[in-house]
Amino acid sequence: LQAQTIATPMLHVAIASNVLHIALGYYLVYSTSWGWLGAAVARTVCNMSLLLFLLFYIWYSKRKLKRTQSSKTQNQHHYQTIIQTTTTTTTNERKEMLVWTTGWNW
């Protein structure tokens, strides 16, 4: 992501990982018998969470991109149909077509 100058997701992932580290570290150090070992375990878990958060972001953004592209393709086809029908129809037929396709009542 950084090679593509997309830095915002990495910032969000780093913030989430550090918040997780603080919460988990505090819990493992003060609420369990692990003591300082709990801090090391919390840091290890949070370092692994960086990778998992970034993988989740990449998976989610690809999925979102596919949905956006498919809806754009459907809209383009939809508007091409409207344009094609308006060139060969009368004014009343165009109004009916617009009401049918967009729900707008002229």
Side-chain angles (χ1 to χ4, degrees):
L1 292 173
Q2 192 173 7
Q4 298 174 356
T5 65
I6 302 173
T8 306
M10 291 185 292
L11 172 71
H12 293 254
V13 165
I15 290 171
S17 179
N18 282 323
V19 168
L20 179 65
H21 175 246
I22 292 168
L24 188 62
Y26 184 85
Y27 172 76
L28 291 177
V29 169
Y30 294 110
S31 299
T32 64
S33 62
W34 287 10
W36 291 105
L37 182 62
V41 169
R43 185 71 248 167
T44 303
V45 168
C46 292
N47 281 339
M48 290 187 299
S49 73
L50 281 169
L51 174 66
L52 296 176
F53 287 154
L54 281 174
L55 288 175
F56 174 75
Y57 169 77
I58 291 170
W59 172 78
Y60 179 75
S61 65
K62 282 185 179 179
R63 191 169 171 217
K64 186 177 175 183
L65 182 65
K66 284 181 184 177
R67 276 188 278 147
T68 305
Q69 287 176 344
S70 68
S71 66
K72 282 182 182 178
T73 305
Q74 290 172 355
N75 287 341
Q76 287 172 351
H77 176 69
H78 195 65
Y79 292 126
Q80 285 175 352
T81 304
I82 292 172
I83 292 169
Q84 289 171 356
T85 56
T86 57
T87 57
T88 59
T89 57
T90 65
T91 305
N92 287 335
E93 290 174 339
R94 280 185 241 159
K95 286 182 182 178
E96 289 176 11
M97 180 62 74
L98 285 172
V99 170
W100 179 74
T101 56
T102 60
W104 297 340
N105 192 357
W106 296 90

